């Protein structure tokens, strides 16, 4: 599991881990819990360019279908094929094996993201 305090968050319940110019992105366990059992994940293709705030994929659960928003602009450099094959990994380990995509980004684009305390305040203390 990632160091949750070191992650960046969005109001759309994505988490972002940055290492150099690579951002690993997933949804929080709060979002996974709200969705219920995740049964399908549609992710952008490797090499695609995504725009911050725009829909870049889809997450379907037994309760609903949700859209995945790109929290940052960048180029998709990797998708989590294991999650595509077994979407339940999102519920089992949202901050670890359940990551979704990796983007090549400009770290300056993290402006406007939330820290852990702000995200917890947004969710009423759950994350």
């Amino acid at each position: 599991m990632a160091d949750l305090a070191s992650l960046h968050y969005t109001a759309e319940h994505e988490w972002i881990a940055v290492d150099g110019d690579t951002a690993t992105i997933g949804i929080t366990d709060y979002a996974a819990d709200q969705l219920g059992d995740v049964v399908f994940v549609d992710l952008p293709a490797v090499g695609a360019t995504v725009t911050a705030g725009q829909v870049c994929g889809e997450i379907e659960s037994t309760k609903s279908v949700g859209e995945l928003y790109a929290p940052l602009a960048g180029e998709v450099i990797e998708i989590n094929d294991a999650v595509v094959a077994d979407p339940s990994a999102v519920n089992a380990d949202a901050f670890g094996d359940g990551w979704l995509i990796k983007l090549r980004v400009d770290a300056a684009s993290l402006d406007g993201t939330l820290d852990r305390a702000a995200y917890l305040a947004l969710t009423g203390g759950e994350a």
Side-chain angles (χ1 to χ4, degrees):
M1 175 179 274
D3 174 8
L4 302 183
S6 70
L7 301 177
H8 299 265
Y9 299 87
T10 71
E12 288 75 33
H13 308 290
E14 289 104 8
W15 59 263
I16 307 160
V18 177
D19 182 13
D21 66 350
T22 300
T24 303
I25 296 164
I27 65 169
T28 65
D29 57 357
Y30 173 82
D33 287 345
Q34 295 297 309
L35 283 169
D37 294 333
V38 176
V39 296
F40 177 77
V41 176
D42 181 36
L43 301 175
V46 172
T49 300
V50 298
T51 303
Q54 299 297 308
V55 174
C56 67
E58 187 175 274
I59 298 178
E60 184 176 333
S61 72
T62 54
K63 290 183 181 178
S64 66
V65 177
E67 295 176 323
L68 176 65
Y69 292 90
L72 306 170
E75 177 188 357
V76 178
I77 58 173
E78 186 176 349
I79 64 169
N80 189 345
D81 290 322
V83 165
V84 174
D86 180 12
S88 68
V90 173
N91 296 106
D93 190 10
F95 292 106
D97 292 339
W99 66 273
L100 299 173
I101 59 175
K102 292 186 179 186
L103 300 177
R104 182 172 296 117
V105 299
D106 177 355
S109 63
L110 290 166
D111 292 347
T113 59
L114 306 172
D115 64 13
R116 179 90 178 144
Y119 184 70
L120 289 174
L122 177 74
T123 61
E126 298 179 48

